[in-house]
Amino acid sequence: MSASGYFQHTVAGPVIFAGIGLHTGAHVRVAVRPAVADMGIVFVRTDVHDRDNRVPVTADAVCQTQLGTVINNADDVRVSTIEHLMAALAALSIDNCIVEVDGPEVPIMDGSSEPFVQILDRAGRRRQEAVRQYIEILAPITVEEGDKRASLLPADRFEVAFEIAFASKAIGRQAVDLAIDEESFRAELSDCRTFGFVRDVEALRAIGLARGGSMENAVVIDGDRVLNPEGLRRPDEFVRHKALDAVGDLYVLGKPIIGRFEGVLAGHGLNNAVVRALLAQPRAWRLRAFAPALAEAV
């Protein structure tokens, strides 16, 4: 483990950006700001003034998982599509920050985590004098839904494995298996975009989803063809994006994981279900901190 892994971190300074929400189509402005140690990741809806507008990220705060991860607070103030930003925060070891949004949804940017990584690079990272705790998986936890499965398993590092299968020849069957740290996330996952099918667009927009979706922020598939003129960034971009989503969805735990995640045909719903299942089995995990000269269980 690098020395940075022993301590908590926040962003070194504020950074501001803006973009379109994938599902709402609304233009949203975001400011990521430093936070004190042990605060975690807290979203603040700056456009909400009549209720509590702070939405701390926790596993229990996840209230919806259809085509994205949505969190809310006790006053039902919501923030949607947090997973790509959360993945970047997890990969860059940002434990504590305040994310101010002036709308209901985090901007989709280009559909990947790469713009968020670049934004966080601009902000910089500051070490805090507080010990970083990890969730170490001690026993297997699995949730299943038909042929879909998500598991958390013991391992000596954070690993993510994912498998998908689609009838479309543009995707087919794909699998990826990676040890995840900052370097591998940047190199292997961060630029992989979300994707969708032309056949689903009308139905999704009728229920208030995908209103901001376009080939500028998603890989669009029609039958067996990828419609984006630039094509794919990687031959297996689809499954790598699913792995990226899992990194973000697992970080609602508020702490990094020492363990292995395996997803088979899974999505945001099963990702959150396995997180909740883990928390419901306290003997299946422990909190662990590390000192430079000595690993200590806490």
Side-chain angles (χ1 to χ4, degrees):
M1 178 182 293
S2 67
S4 65
Y6 305 133
F7 300 98
Q8 295 180 31
H9 289 80
T10 188
V11 290
V15 63
I16 296 171
F17 63 97
I20 299 297
L22 174 63
H23 295 303
T24 62
H27 186 271
V28 184
R29 190 169 181 268
V30 181
V32 181
R33 302 187 186 279
V36 298
D38 296 317
M39 177 179 282
I41 311 299
V42 179
F43 285 82
V44 179
R45 283 282 302 274
T46 58
D47 60 320
V48 174
H49 306 289
D50 60 339
R51 293 168 286 166
D52 180 9
N53 65 355
R54 293 169 57 85
V55 190
V57 177
T58 67
D60 290 339
V62 176
C63 63
Q64 188 175 316
T65 54
Q66 184 181 15
L67 300 181
T69 296
V70 184
I71 55 173
N72 71 352
N73 63 14
D75 287 333
D76 200 29
V77 174
R78 300 187 174 207
V79 183
S80 304
T81 321
I82 68 168
E83 60 272 12
H84 303 163
L85 174 57
M86 290 295 294
L89 291 168
L92 273 59
S93 299
I94 302 298
D95 303 274
N96 310 294
C97 71
I98 296 168
V99 183
E100 298 176 349
V101 292
D102 69 356
E105 185 177 18
V106 175
I108 190 62
M109 311 306 279
D110 73 346
S112 77
S113 282
E114 189 169 52
F116 297 119
V117 169
Q118 294 169 348
I119 288 160
L120 293 171
D121 283 344
R122 293 206 312 268
R125 185 172 61 183
R126 175 169 59 83
R127 194 183 92 177
Q128 298 174 292
E129 295 308 312
V131 173
R132 189 177 213 214
Q133 291 185 321
Y134 292 75
I135 293 176
E136 182 179 19
I137 308 301
L138 302 177
I141 295 289
T142 295
V143 294
E144 295 179 321
E145 184 181 292
D147 58 352
K148 302 174 183 178
R149 174 174 59 85
S151 301
L152 285 167
L153 309 168
D156 60 4
R157 57 187 179 178
F158 181 37
E159 301 173 355
V160 171
F162 220 105
E163 297 179 28
I164 60 173
F166 286 83
S168 170
K169 292 179 182 177
I171 305 177
R173 183 172 293 274
Q174 298 183 356
V176 67
D177 193 332
L178 294 168
I180 303 294
D181 55 20
E182 180 176 342
E183 181 179 358
S184 66
F185 184 84
R186 288 178 183 270
E188 305 288 347
L189 297 183
S190 68
D191 66 341
C192 296
R193 296 163 292 175
T194 193
F195 58 94
F197 294 86
V198 168
R199 65 172 186 255
D200 298 329
V201 170
E202 185 175 336
L204 290 172
R205 289 181 175 170
I207 60 172
L209 298 175
R211 292 179 176 176
S214 72
M215 283 187 282
E216 294 181 358
N217 55 40
V219 178
V220 181
I221 304 152
D222 185 11
D224 295 327
R225 298 183 302 129
V226 171
L227 297 185
N228 301 59
E230 74 279 11
L232 297 175
R233 293 176 175 176
R234 301 166 186 268
D236 58 351
E237 184 172 1
F238 304 102
V239 74
R240 287 175 183 265
H241 182 78
K242 287 287 195 175
L244 181 160
D245 278 345
V247 172
D249 286 342
L250 293 175
Y251 204 42
V252 301
L253 284 163
K255 294 175 174 60
I257 291 173
I258 301 173
R260 176 178 175 84
F261 171 85
E262 294 182 353
V264 178
L265 313 181
H268 300 294
L270 274 187
N271 293 349
N272 187 247
V274 79
V275 164
R276 290 174 183 258
L278 177 73
L279 294 177
Q281 296 290 333
R283 293 185 180 180
W285 58 279
R286 65 173 174 172
L287 289 179
R288 194 164 182 195
F290 297 88
L294 179 67
E296 300 174 335
V298 296

PDB file of all heavy atoms in Angstrom, residues 8-30:
ATOM      1  N   GLN A   8      -6.879   9.688   5.346  1.00  0.00           N
ATOM      2  CA  GLN A   8      -7.999  10.229   4.582  1.00  0.00           C
ATOM      3  C   GLN A   8      -7.533  11.414   3.727  1.00  0.00           C
ATOM      4  O   GLN A   8      -6.532  12.058   4.028  1.00  0.00           O
ATOM      5  CB  GLN A   8      -9.117  10.677   5.521  1.00  0.00           C
ATOM      6  CG  GLN A   8      -9.768   9.544   6.297  1.00  0.00           C
ATOM      7  CD  GLN A   8     -10.864  10.035   7.213  1.00  0.00           C
ATOM      8  OE1 GLN A   8     -11.552  11.023   6.937  1.00  0.00           O
ATOM      9  NE2 GLN A   8     -11.055   9.335   8.332  1.00  0.00           N
ATOM     10  N   HIS A   9      -8.316  11.689   2.681  1.00  0.00           N
ATOM     11  CA  HIS A   9      -8.011  12.808   1.792  1.00  0.00           C
ATOM     12  C   HIS A   9      -9.280  13.556   1.435  1.00  0.00           C
ATOM     13  O   HIS A   9     -10.370  12.983   1.403  1.00  0.00           O
ATOM     14  CB  HIS A   9      -7.348  12.320   0.501  1.00  0.00           C
ATOM     15  CG  HIS A   9      -5.955  11.819   0.686  1.00  0.00           C
ATOM     16  ND1 HIS A   9      -5.673  10.559   1.172  1.00  0.00           N
ATOM     17  CD2 HIS A   9      -4.762  12.417   0.461  1.00  0.00           C
ATOM     18  CE1 HIS A   9      -4.353  10.401   1.229  1.00  0.00           C
ATOM     19  NE2 HIS A   9      -3.780  11.512   0.808  1.00  0.00           N
ATOM     20  N   THR A  10      -9.113  14.836   1.155  1.00  0.00           N
ATOM     21  CA  THR A  10     -10.163  15.643   0.564  1.00  0.00           C
ATOM     22  C   THR A  10      -9.570  16.351  -0.645  1.00  0.00           C
ATOM     23  O   THR A  10      -8.374  16.194  -0.942  1.00  0.00           O
ATOM     24  CB  THR A  10     -10.743  16.645   1.585  1.00  0.00           C
ATOM     25  OG1 THR A  10     -11.896  17.286   1.003  1.00  0.00           O
ATOM     26  CG2 THR A  10      -9.730  17.715   1.990  1.00  0.00           C
ATOM     27  N   VAL A  11     -10.384  17.097  -1.375  1.00  0.00           N
ATOM     28  CA  VAL A  11      -9.845  17.880  -2.484  1.00  0.00           C
ATOM     29  C   VAL A  11      -9.077  19.068  -1.902  1.00  0.00           C
ATOM     30  O   VAL A  11      -9.422  19.600  -0.844  1.00  0.00           O
ATOM     31  CB  VAL A  11     -10.955  18.350  -3.441  1.00  0.00           C
ATOM     32  CG1 VAL A  11     -11.530  17.176  -4.208  1.00  0.00           C
ATOM     33  CG2 VAL A  11     -12.055  19.095  -2.704  1.00  0.00           C
ATOM     34  N   ALA A  12      -8.044  19.492  -2.612  1.00  0.00           N
ATOM     35  CA  ALA A  12      -7.185  20.574  -2.103  1.00  0.00           C
ATOM     36  C   ALA A  12      -7.859  21.936  -2.216  1.00  0.00           C
ATOM     37  O   ALA A  12      -7.552  22.856  -1.441  1.00  0.00           O
ATOM     38  CB  ALA A  12      -5.860  20.577  -2.858  1.00  0.00           C
ATOM     39  N   GLY A  13      -8.765  22.070  -3.149  1.00  0.00           N
ATOM     40  CA  GLY A  13      -9.474  23.338  -3.328  1.00  0.00           C
ATOM     41  C   GLY A  13     -10.722  23.117  -4.136  1.00  0.00           C
ATOM     42  O   GLY A  13     -10.937  22.031  -4.701  1.00  0.00           O
ATOM     43  N   PRO A  14     -11.584  24.120  -4.214  1.00  0.00           N
ATOM     44  CA  PRO A  14     -12.840  23.954  -4.944  1.00  0.00           C
ATOM     45  C   PRO A  14     -12.620  23.908  -6.449  1.00  0.00           C
ATOM     46  O   PRO A  14     -11.675  24.487  -6.976  1.00  0.00           O
ATOM     47  CB  PRO A  14     -13.644  25.192  -4.548  1.00  0.00           C
ATOM     48  CG  PRO A  14     -12.608  26.210  -4.188  1.00  0.00           C
ATOM     49  CD  PRO A  14     -11.457  25.445  -3.598  1.00  0.00           C
ATOM     50  N   VAL A  15     -13.518  23.215  -7.131  1.00  0.00           N
ATOM     51  CA  VAL A  15     -13.493  23.169  -8.593  1.00  0.00           C
ATOM     52  C   VAL A  15     -14.939  23.173  -9.071  1.00  0.00           C
ATOM     53  O   VAL A  15     -15.811  22.542  -8.473  1.00  0.00           O
ATOM     54  CB  VAL A  15     -12.718  21.936  -9.103  1.00  0.00           C
ATOM     55  CG1 VAL A  15     -13.381  20.628  -8.679  1.00  0.00           C
ATOM     56  CG2 VAL A  15     -12.526  21.983 -10.604  1.00  0.00           C
ATOM     57  N   ILE A  16     -15.203  23.925 -10.143  1.00  0.00           N
ATOM     58  CA  ILE A  16     -16.565  24.116 -10.633  1.00  0.00           C
ATOM     59  C   ILE A  16     -16.658  23.624 -12.078  1.00  0.00           C
ATOM     60  O   ILE A  16     -15.746  23.835 -12.882  1.00  0.00           O
ATOM     61  CB  ILE A  16     -16.963  25.598 -10.547  1.00  0.00           C
ATOM     62  CG1 ILE A  16     -16.983  26.052  -9.086  1.00  0.00           C
ATOM     63  CG2 ILE A  16     -18.328  25.843 -11.190  1.00  0.00           C
ATOM     64  CD1 ILE A  16     -17.150  27.546  -8.895  1.00  0.00           C
ATOM     65  N   PHE A  17     -17.773  22.969 -12.389  1.00  0.00           N
ATOM     66  CA  PHE A  17     -18.012  22.513 -13.762  1.00  0.00           C
ATOM     67  C   PHE A  17     -19.512  22.455 -14.000  1.00  0.00           C
ATOM     68  O   PHE A  17     -20.319  22.638 -13.079  1.00  0.00           O
ATOM     69  CB  PHE A  17     -17.352  21.156 -14.025  1.00  0.00           C
ATOM     70  CG  PHE A  17     -17.883  20.030 -13.174  1.00  0.00           C
ATOM     71  CD1 PHE A  17     -18.865  19.168 -13.645  1.00  0.00           C
ATOM     72  CD2 PHE A  17     -17.386  19.811 -11.896  1.00  0.00           C
ATOM     73  CE1 PHE A  17     -19.347  18.128 -12.871  1.00  0.00           C
ATOM     74  CE2 PHE A  17     -17.852  18.769 -11.111  1.00  0.00           C
ATOM     75  CZ  PHE A  17     -18.837  17.922 -11.603  1.00  0.00           C
ATOM     76  N   ALA A  18     -19.906  22.201 -15.228  1.00  0.00           N
ATOM     77  CA  ALA A  18     -21.329  22.168 -15.575  1.00  0.00           C
ATOM     78  C   ALA A  18     -21.548  21.212 -16.724  1.00  0.00           C
ATOM     79  O   ALA A  18     -20.611  20.844 -17.454  1.00  0.00           O
ATOM     80  CB  ALA A  18     -21.821  23.570 -15.946  1.00  0.00           C
ATOM     81  N   GLY A  19     -22.806  20.795 -16.891  1.00  0.00           N
ATOM     82  CA  GLY A  19     -23.150  19.898 -17.981  1.00  0.00           C
ATOM     83  C   GLY A  19     -24.626  19.559 -17.967  1.00  0.00           C
ATOM     84  O   GLY A  19     -25.399  20.108 -17.182  1.00  0.00           O
ATOM     85  N   ILE A  20     -24.998  18.617 -18.832  1.00  0.00           N
ATOM     86  CA  ILE A  20     -26.385  18.202 -19.011  1.00  0.00           C
ATOM     87  C   ILE A  20     -26.655  16.904 -18.250  1.00  0.00           C
ATOM     88  O   ILE A  20     -25.834  15.993 -18.247  1.00  0.00           O
ATOM     89  CB  ILE A  20     -26.690  17.992 -20.509  1.00  0.00           C
ATOM     90  CG1 ILE A  20     -26.491  19.298 -21.281  1.00  0.00           C
ATOM     91  CG2 ILE A  20     -28.097  17.446 -20.721  1.00  0.00           C
ATOM     92  CD1 ILE A  20     -27.431  20.411 -20.871  1.00  0.00           C
ATOM     93  N   GLY A  21     -27.818  16.823 -17.622  1.00  0.00           N
ATOM     94  CA  GLY A  21     -28.212  15.584 -16.972  1.00  0.00           C
ATOM     95  C   GLY A  21     -28.672  14.560 -17.990  1.00  0.00           C
ATOM     96  O   GLY A  21     -29.453  14.879 -18.893  1.00  0.00           O
ATOM     97  N   LEU A  22     -28.214  13.317 -17.861  1.00  0.00           N
ATOM     98  CA  LEU A  22     -28.567  12.268 -18.816  1.00  0.00           C
ATOM     99  C   LEU A  22     -30.080  12.044 -18.869  1.00  0.00           C
ATOM    100  O   LEU A  22     -30.669  11.917 -19.939  1.00  0.00           O
ATOM    101  CB  LEU A  22     -27.872  10.959 -18.433  1.00  0.00           C
ATOM    102  CG  LEU A  22     -28.256   9.718 -19.245  1.00  0.00           C
ATOM    103  CD1 LEU A  22     -27.868   9.877 -20.702  1.00  0.00           C
ATOM    104  CD2 LEU A  22     -27.624   8.470 -18.644  1.00  0.00           C
ATOM    105  N   HIS A  23     -30.705  11.981 -17.705  1.00  0.00           N
ATOM    106  CA  HIS A  23     -32.123  11.635 -17.659  1.00  0.00           C
ATOM    107  C   HIS A  23     -33.034  12.853 -17.670  1.00  0.00           C
ATOM    108  O   HIS A  23     -34.058  12.864 -18.340  1.00  0.00           O
ATOM    109  CB  HIS A  23     -32.405  10.758 -16.444  1.00  0.00           C
ATOM    110  CG  HIS A  23     -31.716   9.430 -16.524  1.00  0.00           C
ATOM    111  ND1 HIS A  23     -31.905   8.569 -17.581  1.00  0.00           N
ATOM    112  CD2 HIS A  23     -30.833   8.821 -15.694  1.00  0.00           C
ATOM    113  CE1 HIS A  23     -31.160   7.479 -17.403  1.00  0.00           C
ATOM    114  NE2 HIS A  23     -30.511   7.614 -16.271  1.00  0.00           N
ATOM    115  N   THR A  24     -32.682  13.908 -16.955  1.00  0.00           N
ATOM    116  CA  THR A  24     -33.535  15.096 -16.900  1.00  0.00           C
ATOM    117  C   THR A  24     -33.360  15.995 -18.113  1.00  0.00           C
ATOM    118  O   THR A  24     -34.277  16.725 -18.493  1.00  0.00           O
ATOM    119  CB  THR A  24     -33.234  15.931 -15.651  1.00  0.00           C
ATOM    120  OG1 THR A  24     -31.862  16.378 -15.706  1.00  0.00           O
ATOM    121  CG2 THR A  24     -33.462  15.126 -14.382  1.00  0.00           C
ATOM    122  N   GLY A  25     -32.178  15.978 -18.706  1.00  0.00           N
ATOM    123  CA  GLY A  25     -31.867  16.909 -19.786  1.00  0.00           C
ATOM    124  C   GLY A  25     -31.600  18.320 -19.297  1.00  0.00           C
ATOM    125  O   GLY A  25     -31.391  19.230 -20.099  1.00  0.00           O
ATOM    126  N   ALA A  26     -31.583  18.510 -17.972  1.00  0.00           N
ATOM    127  CA  ALA A  26     -31.390  19.837 -17.393  1.00  0.00           C
ATOM    128  C   ALA A  26     -29.911  20.211 -17.359  1.00  0.00           C
ATOM    129  O   ALA A  26     -29.038  19.359 -17.179  1.00  0.00           O
ATOM    130  CB  ALA A  26     -31.956  19.872 -15.969  1.00  0.00           C
ATOM    131  N   HIS A  27     -29.629  21.502 -17.530  1.00  0.00           N
ATOM    132  CA  HIS A  27     -28.265  22.009 -17.392  1.00  0.00           C
ATOM    133  C   HIS A  27     -27.979  22.203 -15.911  1.00  0.00           C
ATOM    134  O   HIS A  27     -28.736  22.879 -15.202  1.00  0.00           O
ATOM    135  CB  HIS A  27     -28.108  23.327 -18.140  1.00  0.00           C
ATOM    136  CG  HIS A  27     -26.693  23.833 -18.163  1.00  0.00           C
ATOM    137  ND1 HIS A  27     -26.178  24.655 -17.180  1.00  0.00           N
ATOM    138  CD2 HIS A  27     -25.690  23.615 -19.045  1.00  0.00           C
ATOM    139  CE1 HIS A  27     -24.913  24.921 -17.459  1.00  0.00           C
ATOM    140  NE2 HIS A  27     -24.592  24.313 -18.584  1.00  0.00           N
ATOM    141  N   VAL A  28     -26.909  21.599 -15.433  1.00  0.00           N
ATOM    142  CA  VAL A  28     -26.604  21.603 -14.000  1.00  0.00           C
ATOM    143  C   VAL A  28     -25.192  22.118 -13.776  1.00  0.00           C
ATOM    144  O   VAL A  28     -24.250  21.768 -14.504  1.00  0.00           O
ATOM    145  CB  VAL A  28     -26.733  20.186 -13.398  1.00  0.00           C
ATOM    146  CG1 VAL A  28     -26.502  20.214 -11.893  1.00  0.00           C
ATOM    147  CG2 VAL A  28     -28.102  19.591 -13.699  1.00  0.00           C
ATOM    148  N   ARG A  29     -25.050  22.951 -12.750  1.00  0.00           N
ATOM    149  CA  ARG A  29     -23.746  23.478 -12.349  1.00  0.00           C
ATOM    150  C   ARG A  29     -23.338  22.787 -11.053  1.00  0.00           C
ATOM    151  O   ARG A  29     -24.144  22.622 -10.145  1.00  0.00           O
ATOM    152  CB  ARG A  29     -23.836  24.990 -12.145  1.00  0.00           C
ATOM    153  CG  ARG A  29     -22.517  25.707 -11.948  1.00  0.00           C
ATOM    154  CD  ARG A  29     -22.745  27.216 -12.034  1.00  0.00           C
ATOM    155  NE  ARG A  29     -21.518  27.971 -11.877  1.00  0.00           N
ATOM    156  CZ  ARG A  29     -21.066  28.429 -10.713  1.00  0.00           C
ATOM    157  NH1 ARG A  29     -21.756  28.200  -9.600  1.00  0.00           N
ATOM    158  NH2 ARG A  29     -19.944  29.128 -10.642  1.00  0.00           N
ATOM    159  N   VAL A  30     -22.075  22.401 -10.971  1.00  0.00           N
ATOM    160  CA  VAL A  30     -21.572  21.630  -9.834  1.00  0.00           C
ATOM    161  C   VAL A  30     -20.315  22.283  -9.284  1.00  0.00           C
ATOM    162  O   VAL A  30     -19.464  22.757 -10.042  1.00  0.00           O
ATOM    163  CB  VAL A  30     -21.246  20.175 -10.253  1.00  0.00           C
ATOM    164  CG1 VAL A  30     -20.742  19.361  -9.061  1.00  0.00           C
ATOM    165  CG2 VAL A  30     -22.463  19.506 -10.875  1.00  0.00           C
TER     166      VAL A  30
END
